[in-house]
Amino acid sequence: MHHMYCYQCEQTSQGTGCTTLGVCGKDPHTTKLQDVMVHICKGIAQYSHRSRQLGGSLADADRTLLEALFMTLTNVNFDEAEHVSYINGKLYKTLTEAKEYYQSLCKQEGKLAENLTGPAQFKPFAGEEELLVFADSVGIEARQKDMDPDIASLQELLTYGIKGLAAYAHHALLLGYEEDCVYAFVNEAFDYLTEPEQDLNKLLEYCLRAGEVNLKVMEMLDRAHTESFGHPEPTQVALTPTEGKAILVSGHDLKATYELLKATEGKGVNVYTHGELLPANAYPELKKFEHLKGNFGTAWQNQQKEFAEFPGSILLTTNCLKPPEESYKNRLFTMDVVGHKDCAKIQGYDYAPLIEAALKEPGFKETPEKRTSTIGFAHNAVLGAAEKVVDLVKRGKIKHFFLIGGCDGAEFARNYYTDFADQSPDDTVILTLGCGKFRVNQHEYGDIEGIPRLLDLGQCNDSYSAIKIATALAAAFEVEVNDLPLSLIISWFEQKAVAVLLTLLYLGLKDIRLGPTLPAFLSANVLKLLVENYNIQAAVDPKKDLDAILQPA
């Protein structure tokens, strides 16, 4: 078995790093190929950053950068052949175009083009074996050899944060939304990572800037979603199926979901959401489709059981994909950046193969007694009731707010979030988002004078809703956000969560409880810095943490 090294996600082996096979299912070859992809992205950034300094930019290069980085997120793409083809095809072509564009700008300006080294010099290899040998020279272990561990830690923190914001920006781009400041930062930061001399303070500054840019990206994606599909509305979504043929759509992509609903209209096939697409049922332009019947299943880590039980075809629009089981891999389809060698891939929004596969499956044979869950409490809905919420706080009816959410995963330690929510007092309100909601949304919490104690804000990117709500409440009480009766109880898993964490740090939010384990890529000194400056704490014991949070000042 080939050696590998990857520690970019929370589930990394032994809390230190995956060295023979990713816990996610990623094999060593794919891991190495993704290291090469990030390396080439840095090369593209070297040229694109300098082009911007000369007043120019290449849109295709910027957009490809987002796409390529998204492919390297945890549980996105496992297809080794697709990676090789992408590296030798689109990615190298983009690198070449970025180089030629930079040189043409220099010629126009009468300047001598820099002879860039490092990633900018990447050339394709004759075969995959040579490419894999090269990958060893640009992977984490090779790059960090003889490097200060704190420098190495901040480099990875920055890289993973940029991967996360790139994924969010790619989603917005699919809906036609983009901002040059995002591309400019990604190129500048990745260019800096190629510099031979790395400064600890400068890297920390870049990490906080990544948080700042990710806030802009989340705002842009929120705008893309709400301007395209309307503001989410409080909605009772069915958690039980309806008799008939069925398609299950999972991931995060609302655009892909909308196109699927259009394509299946009148085809005799019902559509169900799964995982992070549960919030799709609250958007007016999506829920107007009568054949969107509700949600089937829970969070991504349960998909192998839930997909096997689903009696129709399945579409993965984005992460999180687990290597498919034999029982359903022939009816599981991927699209866009998602890939697996055992699954057919949808091209563009041509869903004909997916629909055909659904019609061949038995579908649901009956309609059981209906169960529902209430969703759709994004910032527009919550702030619409802000006056009442403020009044309840002033009258002492609401004593505290908890944001309990983020990513879910398979570890037993994630029961912390369920236990924390279950033990929260009746005079507190729980905000939840991301697939972490499935740890808390199975419990009935009741309400406080008509305000539900559990408010589902939406997907992981709807952290923006949480930020808008918090800043609005702070303004209403004329205090800083850190002085609100609000505690952040965050579960993380992959790189989008890293981007959100950097945004929270950029905003200066303190006392975050993070779990179920702390990132393996944080060195002891970097972790110490985060504790000293932001009082980040490990989420360990729900009762002790609740007591500590709610104790009188």
Side-chain angles (χ1 to χ4, degrees), residues 8-265:
Q8 71 173 357
C9 79
E10 187 276 333
Q11 66 182 352
T12 194
S13 182
Q14 308 299 312
T16 55
C18 296
T19 57
T20 56
L21 181 70
V23 174
C24 65
K26 186 169 61 175
D27 64 35
H29 282 187
T30 304
T31 301
K32 291 171 185 285
L33 293 169
Q34 291 186 353
D35 287 341
V36 173
M37 287 176 63
V38 173
H39 178 77
I40 300 172
C41 285
K42 291 175 181 176
I44 294 169
Q46 287 177 277
Y47 291 117
S48 293
H49 177 54
R50 284 163 178 78
S51 292
R52 270 189 170 76
Q53 290 178 321
L54 295 172
S57 63
L58 203 57
D60 285 348
D62 290 335
R63 293 164 183 166
T64 298
L65 209 57
L66 301 183
E67 179 183 74
L69 290 172
F70 198 171
M71 273 183 71
T72 69
L73 261 68
T74 303
N75 289 97
V76 171
N77 199 306
F78 299 85
D79 192 332
E80 181 179 341
E82 185 176 351
H83 281 81
V84 173
S85 175
Y86 192 85
I87 288 168
N88 291 332
K90 186 172 186 177
L91 206 52
Y92 178 63
K93 178 175 179 286
T94 302
L95 176 65
T96 302
E97 290 173 348
K99 177 181 179 180
E100 291 173 349
Y101 181 68
Y102 165 62
Q103 291 175 336
S104 71
L105 288 177
C106 287
K107 188 174 181 180
Q108 289 174 23
E109 296 293 321
K111 295 179 180 291
L112 185 65
E114 288 184 56
N115 184 24
L116 299 175
T117 58
Q121 292 297 319
F122 176 82
K123 295 287 190 296
F125 291 84
E128 184 177 348
E129 281 305 314
E130 293 95 324
L131 184 59
L132 291 170
V133 170
F134 171 76
D136 287 332
S137 70
V138 298
I140 296 170
E141 290 177 305
R143 286 187 288 105
Q144 295 186 353
K145 188 178 181 182
D146 302 324
M147 183 183 287
D148 180 289
D150 301 327
I151 293 286
S153 177
L154 287 174
Q155 282 186 341
E156 296 309 300
L157 178 60
L158 175 59
T159 299
Y160 303 148
I162 289 176
K163 283 188 179 190
L165 72 85
Y168 288 143
H170 180 75
H171 279 305
L173 178 61
L174 293 178
L175 286 164
Y177 290 70
E178 57 187 330
E179 291 187 13
D180 190 69
C181 64
V182 176
Y183 297 129
F185 171 75
V186 172
N187 284 302
E188 180 191 342
F190 260 34
D191 173 67
Y192 179 72
L193 289 174
T194 69
E195 295 291 331
E197 298 296 324
Q198 299 279 289
D199 179 76
L200 198 70
N201 290 326
K202 194 162 186 178
L203 280 168
L204 184 59
E205 178 187 328
Y206 269 116
C207 287
L208 294 177
R209 283 182 61 196
E212 178 184 16
V213 172
N214 185 58
L215 179 60
K216 293 177 182 177
V217 171
M218 290 194 298
E219 185 277 331
M220 177 173 65
L221 182 54
D222 177 81
R223 191 159 28 90
H225 284 163
T226 56
E227 291 179 0
S228 300
F229 308 117
H231 283 280
E233 302 166 339
T235 302
Q236 281 199 329
V237 57
L239 303 179
T240 44
T242 299
E243 181 182 352
K245 302 290 185 178
I247 291 174
L248 187 65
V249 56
S250 191
H252 300 76
D253 193 335
L254 296 187
K255 166 71 170 172
T257 304
Y258 177 70
E259 295 296 336
L260 175 62
L261 289 167
K262 287 199 301 182
T264 49
E265 199 166 21

Side-chain angles (χ1 to χ4, degrees), residues 357-414:
L359 292 172
K360 289 179 180 177
E361 296 300 319
F364 290 103
K365 296 300 185 184
E366 60 183 9
T367 304
E369 183 179 351
K370 191 172 184 179
R371 291 185 298 107
T372 64
S373 179
T374 304
I375 63 171
F377 293 100
H379 60 84
N380 197 60
V382 174
L383 294 180
E387 188 175 332
K388 183 172 183 179
V389 171
V390 169
D391 176 64
L392 288 171
V393 173
K394 287 181 175 178
R395 290 195 287 123
K397 299 296 184 180
I398 296 178
K399 294 284 179 57
H400 208 87
F401 297 88
F402 296 107
L403 174 61
I404 307 176
C407 310
D408 202 7
E411 302 98 321
F412 179 78
R414 289 184 183 271

